[in-house]
Amino acid sequence: MISVSNVSMRYGAKVLFDEVSTAFTPGKRYGLTGPNGAGKSTFMNLLTGELEPQKGTVVRPRKLGVLRQDQFAFDAYRVLDTVIMGNQRLWAAMEERDRIYEKHEITNDDGMKLGELEGIVGEEDGYSAETDAALLLQGLDIPDEMHQRSMSELQGGQKVRVLLAQALFGHPQALLLDEPTNHLDLDSIHWLQSFLRNYDGVVIVITHDRHFLTSVCTHIADID
Ligand SMILES: Nc1ncnc2c1ncn2[C@@H]1O[C@H](COP(=O)(O)OP(=O)(O)OP(=O)(O)O)[C@@H](O)[C@H]1O
Ligand SMILES: [Mg+2]
């Protein structure tokens, strides 16, 4: 469940949200609609926590899966790493840990820090992260030989499937998708539609694709 209570947000004289209260419940799939500039992306950023409301509160599950609009943002990374980055707390801890291990000399402070980081990696199932990510990718039809390649080598539809695996990694209780069908071929769109229809958490999706909206969403949240 994601609940929004008395949220207000304005940019200068432009009031986007005034005392908005609403809730999004698991098993329902919401289409977030509204004209250009209505505040759809802003609202999604408030839901993910990327943006703090000027007034009011948002209560969200601990784990959110987010598919951002920019499908080229991870081009510099390996496919497998891109998926693991979906768990930000885990990824940050793993990166810092690896940086310390690469040092020639490890100080006492480094040793303390390593203990702390290994604790986080354990809590977040980091020791099975590569296996978990690979399983997710296999389920999404990304063959094993691609897992070690860089994202830039993938075709548009494959890229979106990897980013979806990223959004799903770490068992999120909600999926927030901004324009997921951009750059997707028809097969991948069909695949995503049936995937979302079978997902049992909260789904909130921004899309201008009418077909996709009618096929996937059970509810519409229209921003007026
Ligand atoms: N950081 C900001 N500072 C000032 N104004 C902003 C900021 N972010 C968004 N806005 C304004 O708030 C309004 C809503 O923007 P937002 O991007 O949320 O709309 P949207 O519904 O996602 O639009 P689109 O359909 O074009 O993607 C717009 O008028 C935008 O110019
Ligand atoms: Mg937008």
Side-chain angles (χ1 to χ4, degrees):
M1 165 106 120
I2 300 178
S3 71
V4 175
S5 311
N6 301 311
V7 162
S8 298
M9 198 73 194
R10 63 155 71 206
Y11 286 118
K14 189 173 168 85
V15 177
L16 292 182
F17 305 107
D18 185 23
E19 302 270 321
V20 172
S21 297
T22 187
F24 301 92
T25 48
K28 292 180 179 167
R29 300 183 295 276
Y30 303 85
L32 193 54
T33 61
N36 290 347
K40 300 181 295 296
S41 296
T42 304
F43 193 66
M44 195 168 267
N45 290 338
L46 289 168
L47 295 180
T48 62
E50 216 160 292
L51 205 60
E52 276 296 316
Q54 286 152 350
K55 227 188 113 217
T57 51
V58 175
V59 179
R60 61 186 73 83
R62 202 169 70 82
K63 293 223 158 148
L64 292 180
V66 183
L67 181 70
R68 291 190 177 75
Q69 224 166 336
D70 184 5
Q71 291 163 358
F72 303 95
F74 296 90
D75 273 8
Y77 295 94
R78 280 196 318 159
V79 169
L80 213 52
D81 290 342
T82 302
V83 178
I84 297 172
M85 279 177 209
N87 185 340
Q88 286 172 7
R89 183 168 181 252
L90 171 64
W91 181 254
M94 284 168 59
E95 278 214 303
E96 198 176 348
R97 177 191 67 180
D98 294 348
R99 264 198 307 275
I100 296 177
Y101 279 133
E102 275 166 19
K103 287 185 172 182
H104 291 297
E105 262 174 80
I106 294 189
T107 64
N108 266 347
D109 282 354
D110 287 337
M112 295 283 281
K113 190 73 197 167
L114 276 175
E116 192 186 307
L117 293 169
E118 293 292 358
I120 295 174
V121 171
E123 269 170 40
E124 297 291 335
D125 294 329
Y127 301 109
S128 61
E130 297 233 338
T131 327
D132 294 345
L135 274 174
L136 215 41
L137 287 169
Q138 280 155 17
L140 289 162
D141 239 3
I142 304 291
D144 281 4
E145 62 266 26
M146 293 201 152
H147 297 184
Q148 304 296 334
R149 298 220 192 126
S150 118
M151 285 289 280
S152 60
E153 295 175 64
L154 269 53
Q155 296 158 359
Q158 291 174 325
K159 229 179 247 194
V160 175
R161 295 211 297 273
V162 174
L163 293 176
L164 205 58
Q166 181 192 62
L168 293 174
F169 184 75
H171 310 287
Q173 293 117 315
L175 279 177
L176 305 179
L177 314 173
D178 200 346
E179 296 286 359
T181 62
N182 285 359
H183 313 286
L184 267 194
D185 54 64
L186 212 55
D187 277 350
S188 306
I189 291 177
H190 288 152
W191 178 87
L192 181 58
Q193 286 172 343
S194 69
F195 176 86
L196 291 176
R197 281 197 296 257
N198 289 309
Y199 174 73
D200 57 8
V202 182
V203 175
I204 302 176
V205 54
I206 299 175
T207 180
H208 287 100
D209 183 334
R210 287 269 143 204
H211 266 295
F212 189 81
L213 205 63
T214 10
S215 138
V216 167
C217 298
T218 59
H219 293 69
I220 298 290
D222 189 47
I223 299 180
D224 228 323

